[in-house]
């Protein structure tokens, strides 16, 4: 793991502290004590969801955050705008909960897509969704300025899907994927979490389905971010397990493209499916067995306006409270810089003293 320590201690003098974190363009950077700079903002637009995936939520759902405690569209857009224009954010990904349930999604995307990053390029916009309703909204979201989409699909078997998500909506997700492709929200990526004894049989059919359609499949190792006691290291389906399964049918060669801050290890895949010879890329996100924290470039904003430096943080900074107390953009930006400066070296899942954060994935924003 990379561990550069260019700044030995946190200085207290505010002016000196912030001057150090300005880049050549005079923009503050969201830098931490290990030299990592956050360029990728994950914005959770709601903690609510229309599925109940077993690895993410309890069957009865969660106690939702009361609406008055969540950011409205204007507050959300204000924080995204300052993150891009003052703090060097270059990519914004909308997530949740289920972001398609957010009424103001189109206008939030449009306002974000209109922003220019410090590179002089428009900010990149992306969405992570379970795909329900995307058949009706994909074209509108594309027109609003959405660039890319990740759709969660853990199996091609409708019964397995219903057991895993506790809802009978498999056909709707497939329609959402088709609509995303038709709308040109490319590359369309498919996220799949593999659970032991639940959907291991889905690995090869998912690979075939995605290779046939030019979809980029990403397998994600199950992380301890769902309901308590729903994660067990002993039965974890690891990245190695997944690659071994894929090799039963396909030829996999590790991609030579530099990975940068991307969490997925990419594999160039070739083989034959029922439709003939296929080739493409499949990614495996080994968040547990091969953590990529050393290259992390993420910062997170929850739907109730908290900054988190990591999915696994135990610490949050409320920009909502500051904003509602009348803070200026500069004051909000300064708090964001301070929150990221304290980012820990890694998520600590593999440390025996690991403690799962109190919020689940759906309430943080995956
Ligand atoms: N509802 C949307 C969806 O499902 O894509 C966005 C939010 S969801 C929390 C974002 C991603 O996190 C999904 O791809 C989901 O599969 C993944 N996820 C949720 N809980 C997880 C866990 N415990 N371990 C690994 N991935 C998880
Ligand atoms: Fe909802 Fe996404 Fe969590 Fe599934 S993974 S319950 S779709 S937030």
């Amino acid at each position: 793991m990379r561990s550069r320590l260019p700044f030995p201690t946190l200085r207290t003098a505010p002016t000196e502290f912030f001057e150090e974190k300005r880049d050549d363009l005079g923009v503050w950077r969201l830098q931490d004590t290990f030299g990592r700079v956050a360029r990728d903002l994950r914005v959770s637009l709601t903690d609510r969801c229309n599925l109940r995936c077993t690895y993410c939520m309890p069957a009865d759902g969660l106690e939702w955050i009361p609406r008055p405690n969540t950011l409205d569209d204007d507050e959300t857009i204000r924080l995204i705008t300052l993150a891009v224009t003052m703090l060097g954010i270059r990519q914004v990904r909308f997530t949740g909960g289920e972001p398609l349930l957010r009424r103001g999604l189109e206008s939030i995307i449009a306002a974000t897509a209109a922003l220019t990053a410090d590179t002089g390029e428009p900010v990149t916009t992306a969405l992570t969704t379970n795909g329900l309703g995307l058949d009706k909204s994909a074209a509108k979201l594309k027109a609003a300025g959405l660039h890319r989409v990740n759709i969660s699909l853990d199996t091609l078997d409708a019964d397995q899907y219903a057991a895993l998500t506790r809802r009978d909506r498999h056909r709707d997700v497939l329609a959402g994927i088709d609509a995303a492709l038709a709308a040109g929200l490319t590359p369309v990526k498919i996220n799949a979490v593999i659970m032991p004894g639940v959907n291991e049989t889905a690995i090869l059919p998912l690979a075939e389905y995605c290779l046939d359609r030019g979809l980029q499949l990403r397998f994600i190792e199950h992380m301890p971010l769902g309901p308590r006691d729903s994660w067990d290291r002993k039965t974890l389906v690891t990245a190695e397990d997944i690659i071994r399964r894929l090799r039963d049918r396909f030829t996999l060669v590790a991609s030579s493209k530099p990975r940068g801050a991307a969490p997925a290890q990419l594999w160039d895949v070739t083989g034959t499916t029922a439709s003939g010879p296929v080739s493409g890329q499949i990614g495996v996100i080994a968040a547990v067995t091969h953590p990529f924290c050393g290259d992390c470039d993420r910062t997170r904003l929850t739907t109730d306006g908290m900054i988190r430096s990591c999915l696994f943080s135990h610490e949050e900074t409320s920009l909502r409270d500051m904003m509602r107390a009348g803070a200026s953009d500069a004051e909000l930006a300064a708090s964001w810089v301070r929150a990221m400066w304290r980012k820990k070296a890694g998520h600590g899942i593999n440390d025996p003293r690991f403690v799962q954060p109190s919020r689940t994935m759906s309430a943080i924003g995956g």
Side-chain angles (χ1 to χ4, degrees), residues 298-315:
R298 311 235 168 106
T299 182
R300 292 172 188 277
L301 175 64
T302 65
T303 194
D304 52 349
M306 305 289 162
I307 296 302
R308 295 175 67 93
S309 58
C310 173
L311 267 177
F312 292 89
S313 297
H314 290 282
E315 199 181 289

Side-chain angles (χ1 to χ4, degrees), residues 46-58 64 95-99 101 128-132 152 154 161 164-166 193 360-363 365-366:
T46 177
D47 60 328
R48 293 158 202 243
C49 191
N50 37 14
L51 295 183
R52 296 285 181 274
C53 305
T54 52
Y55 50 71
C56 181
M57 275 209 205
W64 309 126
T95 179
E98 178 41 50
L101 296 179
T128 302
T129 170
N130 62 25
L132 302 183
S152 297
D154 302 316
Y161 181 88
L164 224 160
T165 63
R166 304 187 178 106
V193 178
T360 59
M361 187 76 136
S362 58

